[in-house]
Amino acid sequence: MIFLRKAGEYHVKKRLGQGRDGICYLAADIRNRPVVLKYFRPGTRKNYWDYIQWEAVILSGLSHPSIPEFLGVANSRRGYFFVLEYMPGDSLKTLLFQKHRVFSSQDIFQIGALLLDILLYIHSRSVIHGDISISNVLYDGLQVSLIDFGLASYIGQEEFGKDLDYACFGNLLLYLLYSGYHDPKKGAWYEELPLSQGQKDFLKSLLGLKEKFSDTETVKKEFLQNFSL
C-alpha cells in the first residue's frame, strides 16, 4: 500500500485509524495546524454518496467545542477527503484495550456528564448521532469529544430516534464500568457489577429493559443523581 503523503494543501503525518468505509489521517495545513483527513473508499463513494453528503451537511450545522468542525474537502489523485478539525485525546477503545486503563468512578462520572452535555446539544439541533461508541468518543483526561457523524441523521429520519443514542450511551457506560471488573463471570451485567439499584434501573432504562426515557434532560438528571460521587 502506498503511503499517502499529501492531499490538496494538506501534508499527511500518519494514519489514525480505519473502518469499513474509509481511513482517517492526521495531517497539517499550510500553517502546520493539525487537521483530520477522512478518506472514503471508492465503493463507499459510489454506493453511499447520499450518506457521505449528509455527514457534511449535519456537521456544517453544528458548532460545539466537543464536536469536530467541518472545514471543507480536499482532493488528490488518491481520492476525495473530508477535512475535519482535529480533536484531542485517545478513543475510549484505545484506552480500554491498548492502554488497559481502569476507569474510576470519578472518570466515569466526568465522561458521562460531558458526553450528555454533547447529546443535549445535538438533540436540541434535531440530530441523532446513531453510533456513540468507545471508538467514537475521545478523552484526554479533561475533555470528551464525539466524532464520526457518518451514521448521523435528523430526528424524524431515524427509525429509533433518541432511543438509539440512549442505548449506545448505556452500552458505553458498561464498557467503562467493566474496566475495573476482574471477578469470575457469574451472569448478566446487573448481577456482576457492583451497582446501586438506582444505577441498575438507570442503565436498564437506557438499554430499553425498563421504561424508556422520554427526553435527554431527564437522562442527564438521572445520571447525575445516580452516578455523582
Side-chain angles (χ1 to χ4, degrees):
M1 180 180 293
I2 299 174
F3 179 74
L4 178 67
R5 297 187 181 279
K6 194 173 182 181
E9 66 181 31
Y10 301 96
H11 293 271
V12 175
K13 302 293 186 180
K14 66 177 181 179
R15 180 184 296 196
L16 291 173
Q18 67 179 29
R20 179 185 61 187
D21 299 326
I23 306 171
C24 285
Y25 298 92
L26 176 64
D29 66 12
I30 57 176
R31 297 182 181 179
N32 204 36
R33 293 174 299 191
V35 298
V36 172
L37 299 181
K38 185 173 183 178
Y39 167 74
F40 297 96
R41 292 190 172 93
T44 301
R45 295 198 304 272
K46 178 180 178 180
N47 299 317
Y48 301 102
W49 180 244
D50 289 344
Y51 290 99
I52 293 174
Q53 289 180 306
W54 269 117
E55 181 177 3
V57 169
I58 288 174
L59 281 176
S60 295
L62 299 175
S63 179
H64 190 281
S66 296
I67 297 172
E69 180 183 356
F70 179 76
L71 300 173
V73 298
N75 287 286
S76 75
R77 288 180 295 178
R78 177 78 176 273
Y80 178 87
F81 299 81
F82 279 171
V83 184
L84 303 169
E85 178 185 6
Y86 173 77
M87 308 303 287
D90 292 314
S91 71
L92 295 180
K93 182 178 180 179
T94 294
L95 292 172
L96 283 165
F97 295 111
Q98 295 184 25
K99 298 189 176 181
H100 306 291
R101 175 164 178 166
V102 174
F103 289 87
S104 67
S105 297
Q106 182 176 353
D107 293 332
I108 294 170
F109 179 75
Q110 181 186 40
I111 292 169
L114 291 172
L115 187 51
L116 283 171
D117 283 340
I118 303 171
L119 287 189
L120 278 169
Y121 171 73
I122 66 171
H123 290 171
S124 75
R125 304 290 296 175
S126 298
V127 171
I128 302 297
H129 184 275
D131 193 22
I132 298 167
S133 68
I134 56 174
S135 297
N136 294 332
V137 174
L138 307 182
Y139 182 57
D140 67 356
L142 294 174
Q143 178 178 337
V144 166
S145 299
L146 181 60
I147 63 171
D148 196 350
F149 281 68
L151 295 179
S153 63
Y154 287 111
I155 293 173
Q157 297 176 324
E158 165 60 57
E159 178 183 356
F160 298 100
K162 296 178 184 178
D163 289 340
L164 177 59
D165 280 352
Y166 300 157
C168 290
F169 175 62
N171 191 57
L172 181 146
L173 289 177
L174 287 176
Y175 269 104
L176 301 183
L177 289 163
Y178 265 108
S179 70
Y181 182 83
H182 303 294
D183 295 334
K185 296 290 184 180
K186 56 185 178 184
W189 60 265
Y190 46 80
E191 298 170 326
E192 293 180 337
L193 293 171
L195 302 171
S196 69
Q197 189 59 49
Q199 290 171 333
K200 292 178 183 179
D201 290 342
F202 172 77
L203 287 164
K204 286 181 178 180
S205 291
L206 287 176
L207 298 170
L209 302 177
K210 289 177 64 72
E211 183 178 356
K212 297 178 181 179
F213 288 108
S214 60
D215 58 81
T216 314
E217 290 83 358
T218 302
V219 174
K220 183 173 182 181
K221 179 182 176 181
E222 294 289 328
F223 175 80
L224 296 177
Q225 287 179 350
N226 288 294
F227 285 84
S228 61
L229 304 177

